[in-house]
Amino acid sequence: MAKKIVYPGSFDPITNGHLDIVERAANIFDEVIVSVFHNPNKEPVFSMGERVEMLERAAKDLDNVKVDSFSGLTTKYVKSIGGEAILRGLRAVSDFEGEFQMASMNKHLDDSIETIFLMTDTKYAFLSSSVIKEAAYFEGDISELVPDFVYHKLKAKLSTKK
């Protein structure tokens, strides 16, 4: 039985924590769709196209990982591409309440779609795109926390915003 799982997120930018989840999911599921979600409540540093391109580059060696983008309800998107489940990463206990609430709402909206949680590697437990952007903005060393090409793109993007 083929299993297609969707890993939605803003990925602004993708971090090594995100990649940890993607790589591990690729070892478990037949197909992983990493999909950039347009969140109207956030103002991203990178455009949707830039985020998709960075994800494609980061996942280029993972044959069963595809990259896409969407807006609207995640459950409708998952159903529209023939997905069976939503993948979410958990970093710490503090993530659980919000993720539980979202998973419960998704189950209410479409009870045929499951939510699967993967814990990130503990070395990335503190990592979020927001923390990365803030540290990079103030010229902190984030080079070990994101792919090399993301590091350079983020530095270039933030230098034009100062």
Side-chain angles (χ1 to χ4, degrees):
M1 178 180 340
K3 290 292 179 189
K4 183 188 290 190
I5 194 161
V6 175
Y7 183 25
S10 55
F11 304 108
D12 186 44
I14 188 166
T15 70
N16 288 344
H18 293 129
L19 288 176
D20 172 60
I21 296 292
V22 170
E23 290 167 358
R24 290 174 37 229
N27 289 325
I28 299 169
F29 299 97
D30 294 333
E31 187 175 3
V32 179
I33 309 296
V34 183
S35 198
V36 179
F37 170 67
H38 168 70
N39 186 338
N41 298 319
K42 290 184 178 181
E43 190 171 322
V45 169
F46 293 100
S47 71
M48 181 80 78
E50 289 171 315
R51 289 179 279 157
V52 166
E53 183 271 326
M54 287 188 288
L55 281 162
E56 287 173 339
R57 189 167 171 189
K60 70 181 179 348
D61 295 329
L62 300 169
D63 294 334
N64 62 334
V65 174
K66 307 290 183 258
V67 177
D68 197 8
S69 62
F70 75 103
S71 61
L73 286 174
T74 303
T75 52
K76 285 186 179 181
Y77 169 72
V78 171
K79 195 70 129 190
S80 76
I81 63 165
E84 290 107 349
I86 298 167
L87 174 63
R88 299 298 297 167
L90 293 174
R91 294 170 295 201
V93 173
S94 58
D95 283 347
F96 182 76
E97 186 174 353
E99 292 294 342
F100 177 78
Q101 197 172 32
M102 192 177 345
S104 297
M105 177 54 84
N106 286 337
K107 194 68 170 169
H108 171 78
L109 294 170
D110 189 330
D111 67 357
S112 70
I113 298 173
E114 295 295 336
T115 299
I116 308 293
F117 296 101
L118 286 180
M119 296 296 301
T120 192
D121 189 301
T122 55
K123 67 184 172 188
Y124 302 124
F126 68 94
L127 197 53
S128 71
S129 293
S130 298
V131 168
I132 288 293
K133 288 183 287 197
E134 186 171 340
Y137 182 81
F138 291 110
E139 300 177 9
D141 183 7
I142 58 157
S143 60
E144 294 181 10
L145 304 174
V146 296
D148 190 53
F149 68 90
V150 171
Y151 172 75
H152 293 293
K153 283 181 179 280
L154 187 57
K155 283 188 69 157
K157 184 73 85 165
L158 293 178
S159 71
T160 64
K161 290 195 179 241
K162 286 188 176 183

